[in-house]
Amino acid sequence: MLKTAAFRGGQLSSRVFAVEFDPRARPLCFALSDSPRELRGAHRQLFGDDGKLFSLHVHGGGRVEKARTHAEIKRELSVSLARHCDVYEASSFVPDVKNSFVKGFFIRDRSTAAVSEDILKTLQRSESVCVFSYEREGQYCWLEPWSPVSHVQEPARHYITPAAAAEHHPSTLNISNSDVFYCMDEAYAVLQECSEIIPESKEVLKLVDEQLETSRGDGFPVIVIEGLDATGKTTLTESLRESLNAALLKSPPQCLAPFRQRFDSEPPLIRRAFYALGNYITAAHIGKESLRAPVIVDRYWHSTAAYAIATAVGGRVENLPKPGSELYRWPEDLLQPNLVLLLTVSPEERLRRLRDRGQDKTAEEAELEINQLFRLKVEEAYKRIQNPACIIVDASPSPREVLQQVQHLIRDKCHL
């Protein structure tokens, strides 16, 4: 039975498929047609003559189930097919239709034993997974539902036809309240869905419930210090705490530290919801502390959003949502700071500082070291967030000089 009907947002003919074929370019897009179309250029390379071709898409179940299924498949493919196949991130979507983005993978099996088919047999047992195979004839290629057994009758052919690259990376259709959360209730609901499969979710939600009061009157200024690892945030925030006699807070807050390793191992949807709730707990702490003294915050919502957007959007910087996109807006229910400063240093200086530290890193921090594209996307996403926007501070000089720069900005913007 063909499971394509479960693709929400339209039938196959209305959907566009995208493959992250070249990380330096936009996703390679194609649609389906009843008539053969000759393939050229990059499309010809992707659907070339070598090996068997398959794609699979995780389309069924709730959002938590889909996220965990996709993550499990990704692990399975990376372990089982790494030596024998090319595996690319892929997706399916309906242009300009929000929440129509369906994640998946495109597989090119170059092995003589066709090792991918055994893996696909197992994966297709899930009702939430749909698998397609691609057949070639000369310069033409078509898609059909894949089955480990021969078809009783010839399936309808859906010919591959090149499609123009989407104006925006297709993942942006699903970023809102999936990779980046714009209200507490949405993030809270994700962890509620996880409460039976991740017991720690209940403990996190209990901490959130205890911190719901975030009222803040005309208190002291709140200054957020942002930046990649090893840009000098810790040194600067400690110096500001002393020089301003300020309270120093961090996001995620210390109360969530026991749970970070657990949630860092989860798919982006769950991990992002966890960190989003951390911002709301931090906001509650800010609301209380700012009534007594200025508040310095080591990272806040900008970090959460910048890393999430850069991770969700594959490929190059140009694939990011355009400046002014609603995806860069500040959540309406999250306490806003008075000033946000983004510390920057050269890539070479940041790597030198990281080597000097010699400490453990999160997966995303490790990715920053080896993937220049990812680093550039994170930095650009930081710069595009508005209301409040970041003021960029060159953190290359000595700590004393950086402190003086920042103190001048605080006096000018916050009148401290």
Side-chain angles (χ1 to χ4, degrees):
M1 177 181 176
L2 178 58
K3 293 182 280 187
T4 54
F7 272 149
R8 296 183 180 181
Q11 299 297 321
L12 276 176
S13 59
S14 66
R15 302 188 73 85
V16 174
F17 294 79
V19 180
E20 302 284 352
F21 184 47
D22 181 351
R24 299 164 298 180
R26 291 186 178 185
L28 189 62
C29 293
F30 62 92
L32 303 177
S33 170
D34 294 333
S35 305
R37 302 289 178 90
E38 186 172 343
L39 301 180
R40 300 178 183 274
H43 289 86
R44 178 62 185 158
Q45 293 177 40
L46 179 64
F47 296 100
D49 298 329
D50 295 337
K52 294 187 175 183
L53 302 177
F54 304 94
S55 66
L56 60 91
H57 303 268
V58 183
H59 62 80
R63 57 181 175 173
V64 168
E65 180 185 348
K66 283 195 290 188
R68 288 173 67 86
T69 299
H70 180 269
E72 290 167 7
I73 290 175
K74 187 172 184 176
R75 283 193 292 269
E76 176 69 23
L77 295 181
S78 65
V79 171
S80 304
L81 301 184
R83 293 184 179 180
H84 309 281
C85 304
D86 299 322
V87 180
Y88 304 102
E89 295 276 354
S91 60
S92 167
F93 62 98
V94 180
D96 301 321
V97 176
K98 289 186 177 181
N99 299 317
S100 66
F101 180 71
V102 177
K103 289 184 177 182
F105 302 93
F106 188 94
I107 301 167
R108 184 161 52 193
D109 187 347
R110 299 180 183 277
S111 69
T112 55
V115 296
S116 58
E117 296 199 25
D118 288 337
I119 303 300
L120 293 174
K121 287 178 187 177
T122 302
L123 296 177
Q124 199 179 29
R125 291 172 188 165
S126 169
E127 287 298 317
S128 63
V129 176
C130 183
V131 181
F132 298 108
S133 64
Y134 298 80
E135 302 295 331
R136 312 177 188 88
E137 187 176 282
Q139 299 298 312
Y140 309 117
C141 183
W142 64 89
L143 168 153
E144 59 187 41
W146 179 79
S147 172
V149 297
S150 299
H151 295 289
V152 176
Q153 59 184 32
E154 188 73 16
R157 289 184 176 183
H158 300 279
Y159 286 96
I160 305 302
T161 181
E167 181 180 359
H168 307 291
H169 192 279
S171 64
T172 60
L173 295 171
N174 280 40
I175 284 179
S176 182
N177 294 319
S178 178
D179 294 282
V180 182
F181 289 87
Y182 297 91
C183 71
M184 191 188 76
D185 289 347
E186 290 285 351
Y188 196 99
V190 170
L191 261 63
Q192 280 184 315
E193 289 183 49
C194 297
S195 59
E196 296 304 319
I197 54 178
I198 307 175
E200 293 87 347
S201 297
K202 297 177 182 178
E203 298 177 65
V204 173
L205 293 177
K206 182 179 178 182
L207 288 170
V208 175
D209 291 338
E210 293 170 353
Q211 301 291 339
L212 283 181
E213 293 296 328
T214 62
S215 60
R216 177 183 172 219
D218 296 326
F220 287 86
V222 177
I223 299 110
V224 174
I225 307 299
E226 292 281 6
L228 305 182
D229 264 24
T231 52
K233 293 188 305 301
T234 300
T235 300
L236 176 61
T237 54
E238 288 288 350
S239 298
L240 288 173
R241 180 182 63 80
E242 294 178 6
S243 64
L244 297 175
N245 194 25
L248 175 56
L249 301 175
K250 294 186 177 184
S251 188
Q254 186 59 33
C255 64
L256 293 186
F259 309 105
R260 287 187 66 177
Q261 185 175 4
R262 178 68 181 85
F263 283 93
D264 279 345
S265 66
E266 289 296 326
L269 171 72
I270 301 169
R271 186 168 71 249
R272 302 303 180 194
F274 168 76
Y275 282 106
L277 292 175
N279 284 326
Y280 286 94
I281 294 176
T282 296
H285 295 166
I286 292 171
K288 295 172 184 176
E289 295 295 335
S290 64
L291 297 176
R292 297 189 285 267
V295 178
I296 307 299
V297 189
D298 185 343
R299 285 186 169 173
Y300 195 30
W301 190 81
H302 283 73
S303 288
T304 309
Y307 277 84
I309 291 171
T311 302
V313 177
R316 57 186 187 168
V317 174
E318 289 79 3
N319 292 346
L320 289 173
K322 302 300 181 186
S325 165
E326 64 175 8
L327 296 174
Y328 298 118
R329 75 181 189 277
W330 188 272
E332 292 184 1
D333 64 346
L334 183 63
L335 184 149
Q336 285 192 17
N338 299 91
L339 180 64
V340 182
L341 303 177
L342 175 63
L343 304 186
T344 63
V345 296
S346 69
E348 296 77 17
E349 172 62 14
R350 202 181 68 82
L351 285 175
R352 184 191 66 76
R353 295 180 184 183
L354 282 170
R355 283 195 296 268
D356 290 345
R357 287 183 182 185
Q359 65 186 41
D360 292 338
K361 313 173 188 68
T362 65
E364 286 177 341
E365 289 158 358
E367 179 75 1
L368 283 172
E369 292 189 42
I370 61 175
N371 189 332
Q372 183 185 22
L373 281 176
F374 181 59
R375 176 181 59 79
L376 292 172
K377 285 191 295 184
V378 173
E379 290 180 335
E380 185 59 31
Y382 264 126
K383 296 172 185 177
R384 293 184 183 184
I385 295 172
Q386 298 295 317
N387 299 318
C390 295
I391 296 177
I392 298 173
V393 175
D394 179 9
S396 300
S398 69
R400 180 179 178 82
E401 291 175 285
V402 174
L403 176 61
Q404 289 174 343
Q405 286 185 66
V406 169
Q407 286 174 328
H408 176 76
L409 284 168
I410 292 173
R411 285 194 296 269
D412 182 50
K413 304 293 184 181
C414 301
H415 310 294
L416 281 178

